[in-house]
């Protein structure tokens, strides 16, 4: 219902609008990767950030938990999602399947204007790589993949793609010390674009599958290396804690633990007399 000034004064619709805005705002914030995995999210902070009531923010957090963006546990509150290596692999494999299908459809259905936009984006990425502008390259990379999705004109695939949590996975497992962009990344994008330009759906799907598959393998290789390093460190700590200082550094004239003098003397006599080790 509109008031005399043309504004909607229906309280229920206004509340729903505020909730939607808070949801989209917090979801975008989570997908941006600016919040570390496992970070606790408090209702008080979020209500101030998005200027909504606690009940509205509580509804937003319930929805985000249902969609997998956050976790909610008793006595631990709501936290940003953290992924196991196995969960990360599943999500990245799903991304390969969806993005390769979208690239194939883009080759079939993309308009000349959309393809020209892809050309411009890739040229900008090439300039960023030449200048060593990693931030600009990443921004162009995200734009390129978004443009491929839009050029596919396949709403069902696009919706499934949008529900993937791979930006959170990338944020958690990206190797900050690795060179960026990854070696071969630009050439992989060029192969995708060329297949779309030549209207070859099979080649476009294969090129995209190779591209996102390479990114997945690089990401998970780093994750496995980190896990091995962590397990190795834990093993050494366990070994260090299991050592008994009294056993490794005995005091003068103190019997060594595990070596009873009477038993040792008995064993010596048994060996000397050839009694075969039987006790009397």
């Amino acid at each position: 219902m509109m008031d005399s000034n043309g504004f909607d004064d229906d309280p229920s619709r206004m509340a729903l609008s505020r909730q939607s805005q808070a949801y989209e705002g917090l979801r975008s914030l989570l997908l941006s990767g600016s919040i570390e995995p496992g970070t606790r999210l408090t209702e008080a902070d979020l209500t101030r950030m998005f200027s909504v009531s606690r009940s509205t923010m509580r509804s937003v957090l319930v929805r985000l938990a249902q969609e997998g963006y956050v976790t909610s546990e008793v006595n631990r509150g709501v936290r940003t999602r953290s992924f196991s290596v196995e969960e990360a692999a599943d999500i990245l494999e799903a991304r390969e399947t969806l993005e390769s299908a979208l690239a194939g459809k883009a080759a079939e259905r993309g308009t000349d204007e959309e393809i020209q936009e892809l050309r411009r984006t890739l040229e900008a990425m090439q300039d960023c790589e030449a200048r060593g502008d990693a931030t600009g390259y990443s921004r162009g990379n995200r734009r390129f993949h978004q443009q491929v999705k839009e050029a596919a004109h396949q709403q069902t695939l696009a919706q499934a793609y949008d529900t993937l949590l791979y930006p959170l996975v990338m944020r958690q497992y990206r190797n900050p010390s690795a060179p960026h962009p990854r070696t071969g990344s630009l050439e992989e994008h060029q192969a995708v674009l060329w297949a779309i330009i030549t209207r070859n759906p099979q080649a476009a799907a294969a090129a995209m599958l190779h591209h996102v598959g390479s990114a997945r393998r690089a990401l998970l290789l780093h994750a496995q290396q980190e896990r091995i390093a962590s397990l190795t460190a834990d093993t050494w700590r366990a070994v260090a804690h299991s050592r008994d200082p009294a056993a490794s550094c005995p005091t003068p004239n103190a019997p060594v633990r595990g070596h009873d003098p009477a038993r040792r003397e008995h064993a010596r006599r048994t060996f000397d007399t050839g009694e075969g080790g039987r006790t009397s």
Side-chain angles (χ1 to χ4, degrees), residues 17 25 51 60 73 104 124 135 176 203 216 219 226 232-233 235 259 263:
S17 175
S51 301
V60 168
E73 299 178 22
T135 301
R216 173 181 59 84
L219 205 71
E226 291 242 305
T232 302
T235 300
H259 293 277
R263 288 178 177 269

Side-chain angles (χ1 to χ4, degrees), residues 174-193:
R174 186 186 296 278
N175 182 1
S177 63
H180 187 71
R182 175 178 52 80
T183 302
S185 172
L186 184 64
E187 291 76 12
E188 291 165 11
H189 284 88
Q190 289 170 336
V192 173
L193 178 58

